[in-house]
Amino acid sequence: MQTKRTTFSSKWLPYALLAPQVIITLIFFIWPSYQALVQSVYRQGDAFGIRPPTFVWFHNFQALFADDLYLNSLRTTFIFSVGTTVLSMGIALLFAVMVNRMIRSRDSYTTFLVWPYAIAPAIAGVLWWFIFNPTLGILPYMLDMVGYDWNHRRNGNDAMIMVIIASAWRQISYNFLFFLAGLQSIPQSLIEAAAIDGASRMKRFWTIVFPLLSPITFFLMVVNIVYAMFDTFGVIHATTEGGPSQATTILVYKVYRDGFVNLNFGSSAAQSVILMAIVIILTVIQFRYIERRVNY
Amino acid sequence: MVDNNRWGNFFAHLVLIVGVAIVVFPVYVAIIASTHPPGTFVRGVMPLLPGPNAWENYRTVITEGRSRAGTPPIGGMMWNSFIMAMAITIGKLSISIISAFAIVYFRFPGRIFFFWIIFLTLMLPVEVRIVPTFQVVADFGMLNSFAGLSIPLIASATATFLFRQFFMTVPEELMEAARVDGAGPMKFFKDILLPLSITNIAALFVIMFIYGWNQYLWPLLITTDPEYYTIVMGIQRMVTGGDSEPLWHLVMATVVLAALPPVLVILFMQRLFVKGLTETEK
């Protein structure tokens, strides 16, 4: 890793400068993660210290993968993440392609499309929860006219659709900005050359623009999956609370429930370790990709 | 220009106007709902035109809250959110910029090791280690305090990386010149590096303020005393706090107030926001 060609020399100063960041990282990041690792291979003792914690090897993990509720939560998380990512990126790409055609109105449209990023996931959840409210929400009212009885309190699919829409809504801004930046970096001459060769608008998009956007698309896919898996806790917690009957219990929400409400620390720690593995894999994918992009 | 086609442009505007309307709709509905008296929500569908009760509703949530349901006045919660957001932002910026300075401008044993420790924070978001982090903060006696709300969140790999990248682009000659003139490392940092980094600091400030303001899980875990509730997590108590249907007019007034500061930050500092967002992800 590079430094400057010439550097300052001091025995202690660099350590002093790094100290605050490193100390906070050790205390609040590394140590708790280590604790989670340790707890994940123990069965917890009782509160009175009569039965001490016992080392149980991978029992907690085996128990998880034998547990239908956990397997169900894995499936729920998968559907939720894919749904949120596809919906949000699809809409964002459409908006970005349209805005990219504009010259004078580009900035005004951008302003209208970026601000939902500022809205916290929990608040986004509450907003859509209100709109989808079965008794007074406007969308159930409209769905009722076409004969669909919307009720996210009883119907798990309805609840899932609602949390996906709420989570994707907020993320559109982010994806839009990256897609727009990507579109603007595509040389106009390529598109004009294809047009002269007689390629239609659709053909130009699918054979030139879209392939050139693929690095950004891939990057956004990873970022969106991370967002859907880890940052949407608020959407679930403030609205459906994982229900009805576990239909929207994503992994992060389950760790929280099992740890803080059901006080099952061993299982919660094992779930934490699995989540850590997932984040580490996603981060490595993301950074490997970035290295490649630098080498273009 | 290839794309100069009148029907195509018309169609694009149409798609965008409908799209913007859909994107804005939830917030429009919230603003409208926050202006109605409670009775509106008892019968039928939600209103789509403003009602007469705006002043009354906002006054109620800001000064009274819903004391019976255990929600303190919004005024206090907004202040808490502001303190937390500012503490997180300033904390993150200051510790990251000095770490990046150490990593780029010094050569010392353990440099790579520390860099990796900082990098690890990216892989360990609070959501994946909820219980043990809570235990650590509880052991330090930091529950129900602003220190507990902010300090565990201020380690930042992204900010450190961004500053590192930026410092790498600062011309070598500046530092050599400073050294020839007899400036020590801290003087160089304060008088040359900091002024050069101002735009980057501002861009990160916007992103991190939004990040800090929107914290949800963390305040939910470590605050049990309403004195320290922040507004974003407080909304959840308003929604589920009572036995009956939520008092929608008050909930929506709170939602509008909770969303207002970060939205204003984005609208007024759009250029910095876009810069911050696209650069922190590189």
Side-chain angles (χ1 to χ4, degrees):
Chain A
M1 198 179 58
Q2 301 159 276
T3 47
K4 290 287 179 181
R5 212 166 45 221
T6 46
T7 49
F8 289 110
S9 52
S10 164
K11 281 251 171 312
W12 58 272
L13 187 59
Y15 297 105
L17 290 170
L18 277 169
Q21 175 103 299
V22 168
I23 290 171
I24 287 172
T25 306
L26 287 176
I27 295 179
F28 296 108
F29 286 76
I30 313 272
W31 175 248
S33 310
Y34 169 73
Q35 287 289 309
L37 275 175
V38 171
Q39 283 172 13
S40 71
V41 290
Y42 275 90
R43 184 186 345 188
Q44 68 195 92
D46 57 33
F48 311 104
I50 299 167
R51 186 170 58 88
T54 39
F55 184 68
V56 290
W57 289 101
F58 299 113
H59 175 81
N60 288 326
F61 292 94
Q62 284 164 352
L64 273 183
F65 286 107
D67 182 2
D68 281 343
L69 287 179
Y70 190 72
L71 296 176
N72 181 49
S73 172
L74 274 174
R75 218 191 52 225
T76 305
T77 310
F78 181 77
I79 297 171
F80 174 72
S81 314
V82 171
T84 306
T85 303
V86 170
L87 181 64
S88 160
M89 284 177 65
I91 295 177
L93 179 60
L94 176 69
F95 287 171
V97 170
M98 296 301 167
V99 168
N100 194 41
R101 299 168 55 102
M102 308 298 171
I103 297 158
R104 264 169 304 160
S105 52
R106 184 182 287 166
D107 288 348
S108 345
Y109 280 124
T110 304
T111 306
F112 273 111
L113 291 171
V114 295
W115 58 266
Y117 180 80
I119 293 185
I123 296 181
V126 172
L127 285 174
W128 286 95
W129 198 47
F130 181 52
I131 292 176
F132 276 120
N133 184 300
T135 46
L136 52 85
I138 184 108
L139 288 180
Y141 178 77
M142 280 154 60
L143 286 170
D144 193 45
M145 290 196 292
V146 295
Y148 186 81
D149 180 22
W150 175 275
N151 194 334
H152 58 250
R153 287 181 196 145
R154 270 184 277 120
N155 185 328
N157 283 336
D158 289 359
M160 179 59 100
I161 293 170
M162 182 186 75
V163 290
I164 287 179
I165 291 178
S167 311
W169 173 69
R170 179 185 176 270
Q171 197 66 359
I172 290 175
S173 320
Y174 184 93
N175 297 332
F176 167 77
L177 281 174
F178 276 86
F179 275 134
L180 188 61
L183 286 169
Q184 284 173 350
S185 69
I186 294 175
Q188 196 64 32
S189 55
L190 284 180
I191 296 165
E192 282 170 14
I196 291 166
D197 288 348
S200 69
R201 189 178 297 275
M202 285 312 259
K203 191 161 175 90
R204 290 201 299 267
F205 179 79
W206 289 113
T207 56
I208 299 173
V209 178
F210 194 70
L212 284 174
L213 278 182
S214 64
I216 285 204
T217 310
F218 180 71
F219 162 79
L220 284 178
M221 231 163 66
V222 178
V223 171
N224 278 276
I225 289 172
V226 171
Y227 162 79
M229 288 190 70
F230 301 101
D231 296 340
T232 51
F233 174 85
V235 176
I236 308 279
H237 185 259
T239 61
T240 63
E241 298 189 299
S245 56
Q246 313 272 332
T248 53
T249 304
I250 58 170
L251 292 172
V252 171
Y253 188 72
K254 193 165 164 56
V255 175
Y256 165 81
R257 283 296 291 188
D258 288 348
F260 275 90
V261 186
N262 305 331
L263 300 177
N264 188 348
F265 295 123
S267 171
S268 173
Q271 295 180 36
S272 287
V273 171
I274 295 172
L275 282 175
M276 260 180 237
I278 297 175
V279 196
I280 289 172
I281 294 168
L282 288 172
T283 319
V284 169
I285 295 177
Q286 187 179 335
F287 273 76
R288 279 190 67 100
Y289 146 73
I290 284 171
E291 272 167 26
R292 269 196 290 130
R293 189 169 61 165
V294 171
N295 291 337
Y296 274 177
Chain B
M1 283 292 287
V2 206
D3 276 337
N4 239 340
N5 157 325
R6 185 172 297 176
W7 280 108
N9 279 343
F10 172 76
F11 177 71
H13 277 292
L14 190 73
V15 168
L16 284 172
I17 288 167
V18 173
V20 166
I22 293 172
V23 168
V24 173
F25 183 67
V27 173
Y28 173 78
V29 167
I31 295 173
I32 294 300
S34 71
T35 63
H36 278 267
T40 316
F41 302 97
V42 179
R43 52 194 145 77
V45 188
M46 59 173 59
L48 289 176
L49 292 171
N53 251 36
W55 170 248
E56 172 71 19
N57 291 344
Y58 282 95
R59 198 187 54 75
T60 311
V61 289
I62 290 174
T63 59
E64 291 167 28
R66 282 177 63 206
S67 34
R68 267 173 304 137
T71 332
I74 301 304
M77 293 206 277
M78 286 188 83
W79 178 243
N80 291 344
S81 284
F82 180 73
I83 306 248
M84 177 180 74
M86 288 305 275
I88 291 176
T89 310
I90 294 169
K92 265 181 189 279
L93 286 172
S94 23
I95 70 172
S96 311
I97 199 167
I98 58 176
S99 334
F101 177 57
I103 285 174
V104 174
Y105 282 94
F106 292 86
R107 216 170 280 155
F108 55 94
R111 211 172 112 257
I112 308 275
F113 172 74
F114 288 122
F115 185 79
W116 277 100
I117 286 195
I118 296 171
F119 183 76
L120 273 181
T121 58
L122 268 188
M123 303 193 177
L124 304 168
V126 76
E127 285 79 7
V128 311
R129 49 189 171 79
I130 297 174
V131 178
T133 315
F134 174 82
Q135 284 161 348
V136 169
V137 173
D139 290 343
F140 277 101
M142 293 188 349
L143 300 181
N144 288 318
S145 72
F146 285 117
L149 278 173
S150 54
I151 291 174
L153 299 178
I154 65 178
S156 174
T158 41
T160 311
F161 291 173
L162 181 76
F163 284 127
R164 186 188 92 91
Q165 259 179 337
F166 172 68
F167 291 164
M168 294 307 294
T169 67
V170 172
E172 301 267 353
E173 290 75 15
L174 279 179
M175 181 195 159
E176 282 157 16
R179 281 237 305 223
V180 169
D181 289 347
M186 288 324 282
K187 184 152 181 64
F188 170 72
F189 177 73
K190 186 166 74 67
D191 290 344
I192 296 179
L193 223 42
L194 265 189
L196 284 175
S197 317
I198 271 302
T199 341
N200 284 297
I201 294 178
L204 277 174
F205 190 97
V206 173
I207 301 293
M208 285 170 177
F209 181 83
I210 295 168
Y211 166 86
W213 182 275
N214 286 347
Q215 282 306 310
Y216 181 81
L217 174 62
W218 189 242
L220 184 78
L221 295 182
I222 71 154
T223 59
T224 45
D225 178 354
E227 281 282 293
Y228 290 98
Y229 282 2
T230 63
I231 186 160
V232 173
M233 55 109 20
I235 283 175
Q236 191 265 340
R237 311 232 164 204
M238 293 190 82
V239 176
T240 54
D243 300 330
S244 49
E245 211 26 37
L247 297 173
W248 287 113
H249 59 300
L250 298 185
V251 171
M252 287 301 143
T254 314
V255 160
V256 171
L257 288 172
L260 202 57
V263 168
L264 288 181
V265 166
I266 285 196
L267 290 182
F268 283 106
M269 290 179 239
Q270 195 177 327
R271 223 159 272 271
L272 285 173
F273 163 71
V274 173
K275 179 179 161 61
L277 199 64
T278 45
E279 294 200 348
T280 45
E281 295 295 350
K282 267 187 217 153

